[in-house]
Amino acid sequence: MSLTLDQFLNRFVMQPPLSASKSVISGRRAAVLVPVIAGAEPGLLLTRRSSHLRKHAGQVAFPGGMQDATDDSLIHTALREAEEEVGIQPAQVNVVGVLPPVTSSTGFAVTPVVGIIPAGLSLNINPDEVESTFSMPLAEALRLSRYSGLTLRRGHRQHQVWLSWYEDYFIWGMTAGIIRALSQQIALP
């Protein structure tokens, strides 16, 4: 299956996102940038978090983090964090929309901000936060069948966790859930 950037954008803009999870009740807010790489074969930019971080060390993630008091919006939060973590300048991102917030395992309501970035962008990785970056073909990332569900129980609550492999990268949890939600929204055949 192939997917052009125009096809992705048309589907993303024309189809409203699925409704937000009812479990998003936290007052703590965060945002991630879901960077779609423009090109003949569009890609999805992902990071591998630094292995010495206290939380989520070594996990595949999108650039992002907690909303600061000085952030004008959650879009600003996502852009600021992307600049801090991988050196993507806000002016280099064409924000096309947001997905409904999801609740992280640490209790944050995380808003995914979808933005288009140029192909061949030179990144400046902050080694304190990010070990490496990689790109996954967008058509492959959005193939719904690549995600397997696992039901976990915490106390008296159950929640679904999504899992997937791409090359030697294990994509799971909130990151896999965000990609899967984007896939559901654009509804590829």
Side-chain angles (χ1 to χ4, degrees):
M1 166 181 69
S2 66
L3 176 68
T4 68
L5 187 59
D6 285 342
Q7 289 169 326
F8 169 78
L9 287 171
N10 286 338
R11 287 178 179 270
F12 182 79
V13 171
M14 298 303 286
Q15 297 178 164
L18 301 173
S19 60
S21 166
K22 304 290 188 259
S23 64
V24 177
I25 56 174
S26 169
R28 301 187 316 165
R29 304 271 177 227
V32 295
L33 180 64
V34 180
V36 176
I37 303 166
E41 182 181 17
L44 194 58
L45 180 71
L46 293 150
T47 70
R48 179 174 279 158
R49 292 173 51 86
S50 178
S51 58
H52 68 271
L53 289 172
R54 203 178 76 220
K55 293 183 179 174
H56 311 296
Q59 291 182 6
V60 170
F62 290 113
M66 188 170 71
Q67 185 176 30
D68 285 349
T70 57
D71 291 340
D72 295 337
S73 67
L74 288 166
I75 291 173
H76 183 264
T77 300
L79 295 175
R80 176 184 51 76
E81 288 284 341
E83 183 175 13
E84 289 173 11
E85 291 182 18
V86 294
I88 298 173
Q89 302 298 312
Q92 297 172 310
V93 182
N94 175 20
V95 174
V96 294
V98 298
L99 294 172
V102 294
T103 302
S104 73
S105 62
T106 53
F108 282 87
V110 180
T111 299
V113 176
V114 180
I116 309 300
I117 62 172
L121 194 60
S122 180
L123 300 177
N124 184 16
I125 295 172
N126 176 349
D128 292 335
E129 299 191 49
V130 175
E131 181 178 293
S132 62
T133 63
F134 67 98
S135 117
M136 181 178 187
L138 187 60
E140 181 61 27
L142 298 179
R143 189 169 49 83
L144 199 55
S145 62
R146 75 175 293 106
Y147 300 93
S148 300
L150 176 66
T151 302
L152 296 179
R153 186 179 293 259
R154 271 198 186 144
H156 297 292
R157 298 182 69 191
Q158 287 187 16
H159 65 280
Q160 185 83 17
V161 176
W162 298 101
L163 318 165
S164 182
W165 281 94
Y166 174 69
E167 295 179 350
D168 65 339
Y169 297 99
F170 182 51
I171 305 168
W172 71 285
M174 188 178 65
T175 301
I178 290 170
I179 300 169
R180 188 176 181 280
L182 182 59
S183 176
Q184 288 177 307
Q185 179 181 334
I186 67 163
L188 287 177

